[in-house]
């Protein structure tokens, strides 16, 4: 059996040195610019949310879901046809089951008779199998309130832990703002691409809080606990490690999005990708800018 090549310590150090050199332009940016640009993006994201909030899914607003198995159809075309025939705003998704058979899901507003949808679909696809389920608006409202509370309490718990760990308002608020901005930008991009806000995407936003805090803690710890590094060298060390972490995670999420045939998994992967891309900016530019500006004043955190 052939043995794989192993990288010598000197080669590893050389690769790291090249990686840091490529990222040196970040360390040379003025802290005020590092703070300003992400703030502008955050404000734009808020404006986008104000005019184009993501549509709510059936599980948050109630409605009817009709599932047809054994159907291979263009969901956009079928959506137009059903909306025209029924006089409602229907949403159609296609899926591929684990066994490889294709199907569709039709989402209709609460109060729609699912049998009417099934009757129309049976005329087009007589050999397909159909099932349906209803989500009452009251249950949807309950799920929405619980999801909102989960995000608020998760933020409060995260903020308490961050304050207790760093015991400094500047570094703590920078981390909390980065997490908030990641989430706001991710939700704004969801609205642009028409990704629905559902219980699954709320779970993805909660996961995003955890990941954001990890990368911010790495950065803050590297800069505040440095011993042999200057601020710039500590920043380059942190950003090199952080980029590697984020890139590998993005690669895994991208493969999930490409391979998955489940709309739920696709949406979860998409939300996390949006949030992680925003985290590149908010952690390694905004938070780093705040810390560099604060530490350059000779203040120890």
């Amino acid at each position: 059996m052939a043995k794989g090549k192993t990288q010598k310590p000197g080669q590893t150090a050389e690769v790291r040195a090249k990686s840091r050199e490529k990222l040196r332009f970040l360390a040379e940016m003025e802290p005020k610019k590092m703070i300003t640009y992400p703030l502008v993006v955050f404000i734009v994201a808020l404006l986008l949310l104000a005019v184009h909030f993501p549509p709510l899914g059936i599980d948050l607003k109630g409605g009817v879901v009709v599932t047809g198995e054994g159907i291979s159809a263009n969901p956009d075309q079928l959506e137009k046809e059903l909306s025209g025939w029924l006089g409602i705003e229907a949403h159609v998704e296609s899926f591929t089951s684990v066994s490889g058979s294709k199907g569709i899901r039709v989402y209709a507003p609460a109060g729609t008779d699912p049998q009417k949808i099934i009757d129309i679909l049976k005329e087009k696809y007589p050999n397909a199998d159909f099932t349906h389920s209803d989500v009452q608006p009251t249950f949807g409202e309950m799920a929405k309130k619980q999801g909102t509370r989960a995000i608020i309490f998760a933020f409060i718990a995260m903020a308490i832990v961050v304050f207790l760990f760093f015991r400094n308002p500047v570094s703590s608020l920078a981390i909390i703002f980065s997490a908030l901005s990641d989430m706001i930008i991710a939700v704004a991009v969801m609205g642009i691409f028409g990704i629905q806000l559902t219980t699954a995407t709320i779970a993805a936003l909660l996961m995003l809080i955890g990941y954001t805090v990890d990368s911010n803690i790495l950065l803050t710890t590297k800069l505040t606990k440095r011993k042999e590094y200057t601020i710039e060298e500590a920043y380059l060390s942190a950003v090199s490690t952080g980029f590697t972490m984020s890139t590998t995670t993005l690669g895994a999420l991208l493969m999930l999005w490409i391979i998955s045939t489940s709309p739920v998994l696709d949406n979860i992967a998409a939300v996390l990708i949006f949030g992680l891309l925003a985290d590149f900016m908010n952690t390694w530019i905004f938070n780093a800018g705040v810390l560099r500006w604060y530490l350059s004043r000779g203040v120890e955190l």
Side-chain angles (χ1 to χ4, degrees), residues 35 155 158 162-163 166 168-182 212-213 216-217 219-220 279 282-283 285-294 301:
I35 297 170
F155 247 98
M158 178 269 288
V162 167
F163 269 110
F166 289 107
N168 181 281
V170 174
S171 57
S172 301
L173 288 174
I175 292 174
I176 293 166
F177 177 81
S178 294
L180 176 66
S181 183
D182 287 350
T212 300
V213 172
N216 276 282
I217 286 177
L219 171 69
T220 307
D279 191 55
N282 287 316
T283 297
I285 297 180
F286 173 78
N287 193 5
V290 172
L291 292 172
R292 285 179 57 200
W293 165 76
Y294 196 64
L301 296 175

Side-chain angles (χ1 to χ4, degrees), residues 97-243:
S97 67
V98 177
S99 61
S101 64
K102 294 186 178 299
I104 59 158
R105 288 191 186 90
V106 180
Y107 300 90
T112 305
D113 184 358
Q115 193 57 46
K116 285 185 179 178
I117 300 174
I118 293 173
D119 290 343
I120 292 172
L121 292 174
K122 272 186 176 178
E123 290 183 8
K124 288 177 68 74
Y125 311 101
N127 297 322
D129 295 323
F130 296 97
T131 57
H132 70 86
S133 59
D134 299 335
V135 178
Q136 295 299 319
T138 51
F139 287 105
E141 188 64 27
M142 188 186 303
K144 189 166 65 177
K145 287 181 179 177
Q146 289 176 349
T148 305
R149 286 176 186 168
I151 290 177
I152 292 172
F153 289 142
F155 247 98
I156 293 173
M158 178 269 288
I160 291 172
V161 172
V162 167
F163 269 110
L164 289 176
F165 186 77
F166 289 107
R167 298 180 184 277
N168 181 281
V170 174
S171 57
S172 301
L173 288 174
I175 292 174
I176 293 166
F177 177 81
S178 294
L180 176 66
S181 183
D182 287 350
M183 188 177 296
I184 293 293
I185 292 172
V187 178
V189 180
M190 284 171 61
I192 293 173
F193 286 99
I195 296 175
Q196 293 182 338
L197 189 65
T198 63
T199 51
T201 50
I202 287 176
L205 292 173
L206 287 169
M207 284 189 276
L208 190 59
I209 295 175
Y211 188 86
T212 300
V213 172
D214 284 349
S215 58
N216 276 282
I217 286 177
L218 168 67
L219 171 69
T220 307
T221 304
K222 274 279 188 181
L223 263 64
T224 58
K225 308 294 181 186
R226 71 190 188 284
K227 293 179 180 176
E228 67 276 25
Y229 297 117
T230 61
I231 294 174
E232 286 70 22
E233 287 300 317
Y235 170 64
L236 282 174
S237 173
V239 77
S240 177
T241 305
F243 267 45

